[in-house]
């Protein structure tokens, strides 16, 4: 019955590959109307008159609404963050007096078909009085203009952490490396854009909202808050979701607007985001500019790190400084740093607002730290691998305490792991020693380089997750959970846990989630958290169901409960497999309540929640081999290696798949993805004609290796893996490109490393 730890095939895939998946746009209800959003075409302006008369005169157009027409939407969208470190702001569902970025919702039109709706949207006119536009953190600091009038400036807040005495320690360094590094703005680009369907259920009185989200409970709470409804009157469901990556992990204006219109019109309504809208209206991330000094001894040992950076949040700071604190607390790890200071100025600008995208602050931290190590190695005459070996935390030092609190306020204690062994494994898989031993390649247009990068990741953020395990009289087992899935394999991994703990066949377990009516409380699919948080909850609920089943079966088989074994869907007496009873029969008997009544229990229906004390810590090392054409600047990935310690993997194949997907997105950030705004706040890379994504032929075969150092935070020993693959590709590939171009003396200071940037660096070097 040992199903946990096996690479079982995913349960969910058969329906998806057969075309039986149900995504948001597949939902069509009788008498349904279609909603379109009128969005600002100006980055910063006072709103004048919004004229909808011509649009309303069009065929099939049912209604038009501005903010003034919907007083029920007067409350702002609730902030997502658990943290409250920034200045307060109010983000309206529909803009009332002012717009702060291109794409901000201004009005809504409702029509009977999507085609008539598109025609009507083109007939709406909006008057604007332009205000000064702020498109960089530098201009945000220096401008007299205010994005939020109640603020004295455009600084949302300052985030910082300090260990030891970095200034004094820096003075004792033999060599100081001082660099300015920039990570470009990018965003999650799920194949399915966002969408919402809403209607009022006349039988139950519930407001039903179907939305392509990662956080059904967060959306439920926001809708209830703005519309003034009891939470129990709002039911939120997520269908099959075609990718999330953090982009669908917060509440958007449309998820409140569409339910409000369903109530107002008393008809089902539907909104589907177009790709252009997704670029403008769905959150961005990653834009940070760092200025860092790192002090080293001659042997490469880190003495101190002292850095400042600026983060561009766009118009609204919807997640407070959660991702920024990730950058700060992850920048040093997994290295020994006794003296460290990092201070971030968090600024608002007239861009689409920023929120967590896969990795959420960690890819930026890895880029800064791993680039600085390679630059320092060159300055000190050391091999890049050696400088890391001398600074990596050793297994004997675990559990290591860096002296920093995590963003949950708990002092960080690293989970057990062997960072050096993982790093050496990555070097072995990429053929690092062979590359270094190879004689210098003759002059030619194509140069080979190898780069490495390490990361350490706080995973499985709380506050909790729950599970309800119910054994049906048929013998089928249903596990009700409080989260949705966007391709992570939840229907498989949590079925493995439930099957093992309950003693049921894996094929008999069904995971039911993505519905706030299935479980009263949950949190969501984000922050590499579900395996380590929901996994223990599923295990505890299944374990309790097995305990109850044993009590009932003992009376049926006339034996002591401790003499029973539950496996493969039957409970039998130890050593006497023929003396047994099926789990379904036990469920029928338990439902009658006689056996369990004295214990105050009934049925094989149990619920459990798991509250982690803090995060688990996963480690990884990645390496890339690249070929760079010095005549064109083109980069070709030759090999890629990802080694990851995810603790006890529930399903190794799924963990490896997560790494593959993360690496692919990291390759995009390293080589091509960048959201660029012009001086007027217009997004100039607002389509896939301008914003490049990795294609199949951009990726080499990705070699993965999993290490198993169990976490001490949860009883299953699980660490997270969902975001891990995306953290290190940026620095690993940048280091490899710089290695290939070493004869030219080039230093890479920003991502992405596009052919155009390589060409310019080579031209300057020549």
């Amino acid at each position: 019955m040992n199903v946990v730890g096996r690479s079982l095939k995913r349960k969910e895939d058969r329906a998806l590959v057969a075309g039986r998946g149900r995504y948001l746009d597949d939902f069509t209800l009788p008498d349904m109307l279609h909603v379109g959003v009128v969005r600002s075409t100006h980055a910063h302006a006072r709103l004048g008159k919004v004229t909808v008369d011509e649009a309303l005169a069009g065929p099939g157009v049912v209604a038009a609404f501005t903010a003034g027409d919907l007083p029920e939407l007067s409350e702002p969208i609730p902030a997502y963050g658990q943290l409250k470190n920034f200045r307060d702001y109010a983000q309206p569902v529909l803009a009332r007096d002012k717009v702060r970025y291109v794409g901000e919702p201004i009005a809504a039109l409702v029509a009977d078909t999507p085609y008539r709706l598109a025609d009507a949207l083109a007939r709406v006119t909006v008057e604007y009085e332009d205000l000064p536009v702020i498109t960089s953190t530098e201009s945000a600091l220096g401008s007299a203009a205010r994005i939020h009038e109640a603020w004295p400036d455009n600084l949302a807040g300052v985030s910082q952490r300090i260990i030891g005495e970095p200034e004094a320690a820096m003075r004792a360094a033999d060599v100081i490396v001082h660099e300015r590094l920039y990570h470009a703005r990018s965003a999650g680009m799920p194949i399915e854009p966002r969408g919402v369907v809403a209607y009022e259920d006349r039988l139950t009185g519930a407001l039903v909202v179907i939305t392509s989200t990662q956080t059904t409970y967060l959306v439920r709470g926001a809708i209830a808050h703005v519309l003034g409804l009891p939470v129990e009157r709002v039911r939120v469901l997520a269908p099959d979701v075609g990718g999330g990556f953090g982009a669908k992990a917060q509440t958007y204006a449309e998820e409140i607007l569409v339910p409000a219109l369903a109530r107002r019109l008393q008809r089902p309504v539907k909104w589907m985001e177009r790709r252009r809208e997704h670029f403008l209206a769905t959150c961005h991330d990653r834009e940070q500019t760092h200025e860092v000094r790192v002090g080293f001894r001659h042997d490469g040992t880190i003495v101190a790190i002292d850095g400042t950076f600026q983060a561009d949040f766009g118009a609204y700071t919807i997640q407070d400084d959660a991702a920024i604190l990730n950058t700060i607390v992850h920048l040093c790890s997994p290295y020994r740093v006794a003296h460290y200071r990092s201070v971030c100025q968090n600024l608002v600008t007239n861009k689409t607002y920023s929120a967590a995208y896969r990795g959420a602050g960690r890819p930026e931290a890895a880029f800064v730290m791993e680039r600085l190590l390679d630059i320092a190695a060159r300055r000190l005459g050391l091999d890049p691998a050696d400088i890391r070996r001398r600074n990596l935390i050793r297994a004997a030092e675990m559990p290591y305490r860096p002296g920093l609190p995590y963003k949950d306020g708990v002092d960080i204690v690293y989970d057990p792991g062997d960072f050096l062994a993982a790093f050496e494994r990555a070097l072995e898989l990429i053929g690092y020693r062979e590359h270094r031993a190879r004689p210098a390649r003759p002059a030619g247009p194509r140069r080979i380089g190898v780069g490495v990068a390490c990361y350490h990741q706080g995973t499985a953020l709380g506050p909790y997750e729950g599970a309800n395990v119910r054994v049906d009289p048929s013998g089928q087992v249903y596990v009700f959970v409080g989260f949705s899935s966007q391709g992570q394999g939840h229907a498989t991994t949590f079925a493995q846990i439930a099957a093992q703990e309950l003693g049921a066949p894996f094929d008999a377990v069904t995971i039911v989630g993505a519905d706030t009516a299935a479980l009263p409380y949950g949190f969501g699919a984000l922050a590499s958290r579900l395996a380590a948080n929901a996994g223990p909850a599923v295990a505890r609920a299944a374990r309790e169901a097995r305990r109850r089943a044993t009590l009932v079966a003992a009376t049926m088989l006339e034996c002591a409960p401790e003499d029973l074994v539950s496996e493969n869907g039957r409970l039998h007496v130890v050593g006497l497999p023929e003396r047994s009873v099926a789990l379904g029969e036990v469920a029928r008997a338990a439902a009658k309540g006689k056996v369990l009544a004295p214990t105050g229990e009934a049925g094989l229906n149990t619920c459990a929640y798991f509250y982690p004390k803090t995060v688990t810590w996963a480690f990884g090392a990645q390496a890339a081999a690249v070929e760079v054409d010095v005549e064109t600047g083109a980069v070709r990935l030759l090999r890629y290696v990802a080694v990851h310690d995810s603790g006890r993997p529930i399903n190794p194949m799924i963990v490896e798949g997560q790494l593959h997907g993360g690496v692919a997105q990291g390759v995009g950030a390293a080589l091509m993805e960048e959201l660029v705004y012009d001086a007027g706040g217009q997004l100039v890379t607002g389509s896939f004609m301008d914003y490049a994504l990795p294609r199949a032929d951009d990726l080499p075969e990705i070699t993965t290796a999993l290490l198993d150092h169990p976490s001490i935070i949860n009883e299953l020993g699980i660490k997270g893996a969902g975001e891990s693959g995306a953290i290190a590709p940026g620095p690993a590939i940048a280091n490899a490109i710089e290695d290939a171009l070493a004869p030219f003396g080039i230093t890479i200071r920003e991502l992405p490393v596009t052919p155009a940037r390589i060409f310019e660096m080579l031209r300057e070097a020549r």
Side-chain angles (χ1 to χ4, degrees), residues 192-418:
E192 178 203 36
R194 296 184 295 115
V196 187
V197 170
Y199 64 95
E200 286 197 298
D201 187 330
R202 295 182 182 177
L203 181 64
T204 65
L207 177 59
V208 180
V209 182
I210 308 168
T211 177
S212 55
T213 184
Q214 297 171 235
T215 51
T216 51
Y217 294 87
L218 183 72
V219 173
R220 178 183 70 171
I223 294 169
H225 173 79
V226 174
L227 298 184
L229 297 172
V231 167
E232 292 301 324
R233 281 275 314 278
V234 181
R235 181 186 180 189
V236 177
L237 304 94
D240 290 318
V241 177
F245 317 120
K248 298 176 181 178
Q250 45 276 324
T251 304
Y252 288 92
E254 298 84 3
E255 290 172 311
I256 301 172
L257 172 65
V258 172
L261 296 180
R263 297 186 77 214
R264 173 68 73 98
L265 299 171
Q266 289 296 293
R267 288 174 67 177
V269 293
K270 178 181 184 177
W271 169 77
M272 276 304 303
E273 185 179 60
R274 295 165 294 169
R275 183 58 66 181
R276 173 64 177 169
E277 281 185 294
H278 181 85
F279 273 94
L280 294 174
T282 297
C283 68
H284 301 167
D285 197 13
R286 299 273 199 269
E287 190 170 6
Q288 295 181 6
T289 304
H290 288 252
E291 184 133 358
V292 188
R293 295 182 303 147
V294 184
F296 293 89
R297 295 194 182 97
H298 287 305
D299 67 356
T301 303
I302 297 170
V303 173
I305 300 177
D306 193 3
T308 61
F309 66 107
Q310 295 174 345
D312 188 330
F313 273 78
Y316 300 103
T317 56
I318 67 168
Q319 290 186 348
D320 209 77
D321 61 349
I324 301 307
L325 291 176
N326 274 347
T327 298
I328 291 173
V329 302
H330 288 84
L331 195 141
C332 292
S333 61
Y335 304 104
R336 272 188 243 91
V337 180
H339 304 279
Y340 170 58
R341 174 169 53 203
S342 184
V343 181
C344 180
Q345 293 176 304
N346 302 289
L347 294 144
V348 289
T349 61
N350 293 120
K351 299 176 183 175
T352 301
Y353 53 86
S354 181
Y357 167 41
R358 194 173 193 171
R362 300 173 186 90
E364 301 92 298
F367 173 65
V368 171
M369 189 68 200
E370 298 297 315
R371 280 275 56 237
L372 288 165
L373 286 173
D374 262 37
I375 293 168
R378 192 164 60 249
R379 286 268 304 271
L380 293 164
L382 298 172
D383 184 279
D386 285 338
I387 200 170
R388 289 171 172 81
R389 287 186 182 106
R390 294 175 189 186
N391 289 287
L392 281 169
I393 298 162
R394 297 301 195 260
E397 298 175 89
M398 294 296 186
Y400 187 84
R401 300 174 183 272
L404 288 169
Y406 197 65
K407 62 186 179 184
D408 59 8
V410 179
D411 286 345
I412 294 172
V413 180
Y414 294 156
D415 272 308
D418 192 335

Side-chain angles (χ1 to χ4, degrees), residues 512-543:
V512 181
D515 183 352
T516 58
L519 197 73
Y521 302 101
F523 197 70
L526 66 155
S528 304
R529 61 183 302 276
L530 283 180
N533 284 347
V538 171
R540 291 177 181 186
R543 215 173 289 142

Side-chain angles (χ1 to χ4, degrees), residues 408-698:
D408 59 8
V410 179
D411 286 345
I412 294 172
V413 180
Y414 294 156
D415 272 308
D418 192 335
F419 300 169
L420 187 59
F423 179 60
E424 297 293 351
R425 180 71 172 135
L427 296 179
E428 175 191 348
L429 290 172
I430 201 67
Y432 188 86
R433 182 176 298 175
E434 293 80 0
H435 171 77
R436 290 295 179 213
R438 190 172 62 238
R441 182 170 177 168
R446 294 176 181 168
R447 309 295 175 89
I448 306 293
V450 171
V452 295
C454 299
Y455 62 88
H456 204 200
Q457 182 191 3
T459 71
L461 186 69
Y464 60 82
E465 283 296 341
N468 191 88
V469 172
R470 186 177 305 159
V471 181
D472 189 82
S474 66
Q476 292 292 307
V477 179
Y478 294 90
V479 182
F480 299 90
V481 293
F483 49 84
S484 59
S485 182
Q486 303 83 45
Q488 300 95 324
H490 295 154
T492 303
T493 51
F494 294 111
Q496 287 178 257
I497 293 172
Q500 180 154 309
E501 295 291 345
L502 184 56
F506 169 69
D507 290 337
V509 181
T510 300
I511 305 298
V512 181
D515 183 352
T516 58
L519 197 73
Y521 302 101
F523 197 70
L526 66 155
S528 304
R529 61 183 302 276
L530 283 180
N533 284 347
V538 171
R540 291 177 181 186
R543 215 173 289 142
E544 172 61 14
R546 184 180 65 188
R547 184 191 68 82
R548 295 188 189 184
T550 301
L551 293 176
V552 176
T555 64
M556 299 172 73
L557 297 173
E558 298 180 339
C559 67
E562 56 269 23
D563 291 335
L564 287 175
V565 174
S566 179
E567 57 184 11
N568 203 30
R570 300 189 71 84
L571 290 94
H572 68 83
V573 177
V574 176
L576 296 171
E578 70 280 0
R579 193 175 165 197
S580 67
V581 61
L583 189 59
E585 294 178 56
V586 177
R588 279 196 296 275
K592 297 176 181 178
K594 293 181 180 179
V595 177
L596 294 174
T599 67
E601 301 158 353
L604 301 187
N605 179 67
T606 61
C607 185
Y609 278 80
F610 175 69
Y611 291 78
K613 295 177 181 177
T614 185
V615 295
T616 64
W617 284 88
F619 172 79
Q622 297 183 10
V626 303
E627 180 184 79
V628 184
D629 188 324
V630 298
E631 293 181 349
T632 65
V635 177
R636 184 165 70 97
L637 277 171
L638 303 176
R639 293 188 64 195
Y640 202 90
V641 166
V643 176
H644 183 67
D645 171 19
S646 60
R648 290 279 159 82
I650 304 167
N651 185 309
M653 178 183 68
I654 287 177
V655 176
E656 290 175 352
Q658 289 276 31
L659 292 176
H660 281 225
V663 167
Q665 289 181 299
V667 168
L671 295 175
M672 58 194 75
E673 295 189 45
E674 182 173 10
L675 293 162
V676 179
Y677 283 80
D678 67 14
Q682 296 292 332
L683 181 63
V684 297
T685 53
S687 77
F688 288 144
M689 294 293 289
D690 316 293
Y691 185 89
L693 292 176
R695 304 178 306 182
D697 59 355
D698 292 314

